[in-house]
Amino acid sequence: MDVDAGHGAALGRALPTQAPAAKDLPLGKRLRSFLSFPGNDEDPVAKLTKTHRGIHPSADAGVLRRSYAIAENMHRGQMRKSGDPYITHPLAVAQICAELGMDTTTLVAALLHDTVEDTSYTLEALHSDFGPEVTHLVDGVTKFDKAFYGKAAEAETIRKMIVAAGKDVRVLVIKLADRLHNMRTLDARSPASRARIATATLDVLVPLCDRLGIQALKRDLDDVVLYHLEPDSYARIDDHVQNRPGWQDYLAQVSSKARSALRRSRVTAEVTARPRHYYSIWKDTVAGGHAVPFDLPRIAVIVDGPATDCYAALGAIHGQWRPVAGRFKDFIASPKNNLYRSLHTTVTGPDGRLVEVLIRTEQMHRYSEFGVATTYRYPKTAETTDPSGADQLSWLKRVLDWQQDTDAAQFLASLRCDLAEGQITVFAHGQAFELPSASTPVDLAYELSPDTGDQCLAATINGRLAPLSSPLRDGDVVEIFAETDEHVAVEPNAPRGPRKEWLGFVKSSQAQMQINRYFDEKNEPGMSIADKVKLGRATIGLTLRKHDRGLASEVPLRRLAEELGYPDLETMLVAVCERNLEPDMVVEQLIALVDHPD
Ligand code: MN
């Protein structure tokens, strides 16, 4: 594929084009625009079909035509704020999905994604016309009725979407494409609603896109958010990128020298210039306090071979140009939490200018561009799952664990918090744990188990004793000491249990929830049944997480309660909360029940 497709190219422009409105055209042209249908305009789905067939040659174009016809019919008479017929929106959303390489089902659902919400078309009709898969996808992106749910509608809608995505991640891909197109056409809205929508996008959807690893889509979302929130910065960066004499020549020179160096080392690789997108330039400019946009020339080396060839390529590049100390990062050995894998280095290139170099295999490159969409884009590839064996969706499954324990507003708050924080990986007891960045040993202790959390006394970080409030860093090796450890001598009068002040520094939703549970139980022995049910459920969710599992439905829990002889699920959850029933045992049986239903 074309590695050069750096800024915005993968998905078309990041920005809305200001197509002249029909009324601004001279009369002759205006008439022509009404009367003539030159070329592809005759068939509104021609472009979509072409893009889709370009990636999936045997795809069925008939169903695209059929779904377009229904969507067009249902939306007929509706206009967008820009004055365009409404159907242009679902068509554009489907086009974005097609460019990502999504399958036909996704495109059909994208064409129909607003019908149930905005027209008289019902889920039942959709189901009988297009089947359960498309129905699930459309339902997943359909908003809850504001009139009915009131203020909670937004949070409920996001929760619904996440739960639906747990069953089928294509829901989120459609939602992200939907938002990208809405953001591109935001110019027709008032400045206040532009700012509100852009901020909400930055808040939840951009980080979701990042977690799903779809960089091709995230770049475009990033840039369009910047355009709406920081129009002046956007213009300044645009000006900088468009007007820098010698930049292209320099990149060509660097690429050609890199190719020679790789050839001498017998590494087969493609080298291309890889421009940064505007948002990333803006971030580095602001972060570094630079007065002018800060953007180093960057090249990508895509090796044709196994991962080990990346290191051979790195050797060749470092042999050619001196690396800048501290700038080398190995995301192959330690992938980012969205499974992004690549080597990053900065070298002192020709004329003493710094040059950034990305090195990865073709397969890593696909994953870094398309993330969860990769399996749809390349369905015939021998390895459709990531070779590292990890799963871009494990994060999503974990989110699903705690979504059941909270009301929608709390869920959204936790989701925002979880998304806002970067994540770090720390090691304890020979295992890796992912935590929100700046998590503390207390967060880790609660991650190990609620009891370890309640009873944790001290911690070492990389072998040194450290306060429980110390922020952990990526790669830290941590040991937690709890009261229950035999070799820990507890002073007889030392206070027991968690401290209230821990709430001031813990970062994870788990730790907060468990510490609150402890004090609720202690201070209010007459805790309500509803709270006990909630906590029982939370405990099971946490225990499931240890097995990297989540629970998308209550059915197995209810069956287990029945099998264990409880009158109902709630009674079993209370037993778990009161520790009359071991959560580990419950989860073991639950997993057995789900994996071997007979
Ligand atoms: Mn829409």
Side-chain angles (χ1 to χ4, degrees):
M1 71 155 293
D2 181 12
V3 181
D4 235 339
H7 163 246
L11 295 168
R13 309 160 311 275
L15 280 188
T17 38
Q18 298 262 333
K23 64 176 166 55
D24 298 323
L25 293 172
L27 181 67
K29 268 195 179 164
R30 206 159 93 206
L31 279 177
R32 236 170 305 152
S33 80
F34 284 123
L35 298 176
S36 71
F37 304 94
N40 282 343
D41 288 0
E42 226 169 307
D43 178 0
V45 288
K47 186 182 172 202
L48 180 65
T49 308
K50 189 169 172 231
T51 307
H52 189 41
R53 282 267 181 82
I55 299 171
H56 304 287
S58 56
D60 171 18
V63 66
L64 291 183
R65 217 165 291 276
R66 203 153 58 84
S67 42
Y68 176 85
I70 290 188
E72 198 278 329
N73 194 278
M74 296 313 298
H75 287 297
R76 196 169 295 159
Q78 296 177 343
M79 294 290 164
R80 304 207 82 214
K81 285 235 160 62
S82 60
D84 292 328
Y86 196 86
I87 188 65
T88 54
H89 166 64
L91 185 60
V93 173
Q95 181 67 28
I96 293 169
C97 292
E99 281 165 21
L100 276 178
M102 296 306 289
D103 60 348
T104 314
T105 306
T106 310
L107 270 45
V108 168
L111 285 168
L112 294 160
H113 82 270
D114 278 330
T115 51
V116 174
E117 188 173 311
D118 294 336
T119 78
S120 57
Y121 202 48
T122 61
L123 280 176
E124 290 70 35
L126 183 65
H127 191 276
S128 71
D129 288 343
F130 295 97
E133 260 186 306
V134 171
T135 309
H136 176 73
L137 295 178
V138 171
D139 187 32
V141 295
T142 298
K143 288 194 200 90
F144 277 118
D145 192 355
K146 262 212 186 102
F148 187 74
Y149 280 89
K151 264 193 181 162
E154 191 207 350
E156 285 290 2
T157 298
I158 292 179
R159 169 149 79 170
K160 176 187 172 188
M161 181 180 76
I162 299 278
V163 171
K167 286 189 200 132
D168 191 331
V169 75
R170 291 176 293 184
V171 167
L172 277 178
V173 177
I174 295 171
K175 183 67 208 177
L176 291 166
D178 177 39
R179 184 56 66 93
L180 177 59
H181 184 250
N182 282 336
M183 295 281 297
R184 280 178 176 167
T185 48
L186 221 48
D187 277 338
R189 308 286 293 262
S190 73
S193 61
R194 284 170 56 172
R196 182 178 51 79
I197 296 170
T199 306
T201 304
L202 194 60
D203 210 26
V204 177
L205 289 175
V206 171
L208 265 175
C209 190
D210 185 61
R211 289 293 160 88
L212 298 179
I214 317 174
Q215 292 305 316
L217 193 55
K218 182 176 171 278
R219 280 195 297 268
D220 286 354
L221 276 171
D222 274 345
D223 282 356
V224 77
V225 164
L226 182 68
Y227 173 78
H228 288 297
L229 287 183
E230 298 272 341
D232 296 343
S233 304
Y234 188 95
R236 208 149 45 94
I237 289 165
D238 186 48
D239 185 56
H240 163 81
V241 168
Q242 307 293 339
N243 307 299
R244 39 184 174 188
W247 179 266
Q248 294 303 334
D249 295 342
Y250 184 75
L251 279 169
Q253 183 198 349
V254 170
S255 302
S256 139
K257 285 200 168 145
R259 274 182 214 113
S260 312
L262 290 161
R263 246 194 318 274
R264 281 197 300 278
S265 302
R266 297 199 172 73
V267 179
T268 315
E270 240 182 87
V271 181
T272 41
R274 183 149 178 96
R276 284 175 172 280
H277 63 301
Y278 286 19
Y279 180 81
S280 122
I281 298 175
W282 176 78
K283 218 171 62 179
D284 281 5
T285 307
V286 172
H290 299 279
V292 288
F294 181 74
D295 181 23
L296 294 178
R298 187 166 73 164
I299 58 169
V301 176
I302 312 288
V303 306
D304 179 14
T308 45
D309 281 11
C310 294
Y311 297 96
L314 180 76
I317 297 290
H318 282 180
Q320 173 81 21
W321 296 298
R322 199 158 43 82
V324 176
R327 292 293 298 266
F328 171 65
K329 287 196 184 110
D330 187 344
F331 295 118
I332 295 178
S334 331
K336 288 189 184 180
N337 57 39
N338 60 7
L339 300 189
Y340 173 83
R341 295 193 306 154
S342 191
L343 300 177
H344 289 191
T345 187
T346 304
V347 297
T348 309
D351 312 328
R353 286 172 75 177
L354 297 186
V355 177
E356 292 180 321
V357 186
L358 311 178
I359 303 170
R360 49 179 80 155
T361 65
E362 172 66 36
Q363 199 194 20
M364 291 173 195
H365 183 62
R366 289 175 176 184
Y367 274 98
S368 75
E369 284 295 291
F370 300 107
V372 294
T374 312
T375 41
Y376 298 98
R377 191 179 180 103
Y378 305 99
K380 294 229 173 71
T381 331
E383 293 163 274
T384 49
T385 52
D386 188 86
S388 66
D391 181 355
Q392 253 136 347
L393 296 177
S394 62
W395 171 82
L396 187 58
K397 287 181 197 143
R398 286 203 303 270
V399 167
L400 287 172
D401 288 347
W402 44 260
Q403 72 88 12
Q404 306 183 35
D405 315 328
T406 49
D407 65 43
Q410 258 179 325
F411 169 75
L412 187 56
S414 305
L415 179 70
R416 272 210 187 97
C417 175
D418 195 280
L419 285 170
E421 321 260 358
Q423 285 192 309
I424 53 168
T425 307
V426 300
F427 300 91
H429 309 289
Q431 251 187 296
F433 293 89
E434 259 178 35
L435 295 169
S437 63
S439 282
T440 63
V442 174
D443 291 286
L444 175 64
Y446 278 105
E447 188 72 24
L448 294 169
S449 80
D451 287 341
T452 309
D454 284 352
Q455 295 163 359
C456 87
L457 292 171
T460 62
I461 303 175
N462 303 321
R464 284 164 179 249
L465 208 58
L468 286 175
S469 60
S470 319
L472 297 174
R473 275 179 305 193
D474 204 29
D476 278 346
V477 178
V478 188
E479 196 173 354
I480 301 288
F481 299 96
E483 286 171 41
T484 40
D485 295 336
E486 281 163 23
H487 54 281
V488 174
V490 183
E491 288 172 42
N493 296 324
R496 299 288 182 92
R499 313 290 124 75
K500 272 250 157 87
E501 57 266 29
W502 290 0
L503 285 169
F505 59 72
V506 293
K507 288 278 184 280
S508 63
S509 328
Q510 324 295 346
Q512 268 163 18
M513 209 155 64
Q514 293 292 340
I515 296 167
N516 283 324
R517 166 198 52 88
Y518 180 90
F519 288 108
D520 285 350
E521 278 174 2
K522 218 172 137 193
N523 300 338
E524 299 159 44
M527 212 178 142
S528 74
I529 297 289
D531 284 347
K532 286 186 180 176
V533 168
K534 230 187 223 179
L535 284 166
R537 206 189 288 272
T539 308
I540 289 176
L542 277 173
T543 316
L544 272 168
R545 239 183 103 159
K546 280 199 285 189
H547 298 266
D548 207 21
R549 301 287 288 254
L551 208 55
S553 135
E554 279 210 339
V555 177
L557 262 180
R558 293 202 181 276
R559 271 192 56 193
L560 184 64
E562 196 181 313
E563 278 182 23
L564 292 177
Y566 288 93
D568 52 34
L569 172 59
E570 285 66 31
T571 316
M572 182 177 88
L573 293 174
V574 170
V576 171
C577 170
E578 290 173 340
R579 294 289 194 270
N580 293 327
L581 189 59
E582 268 308 307
D584 280 317
M585 189 277 283
V586 174
V587 162
E588 243 170 62
Q589 299 204 21
L590 202 57
I591 290 176
L593 199 69
V594 170
D595 291 350
H596 313 283
D598 310 313

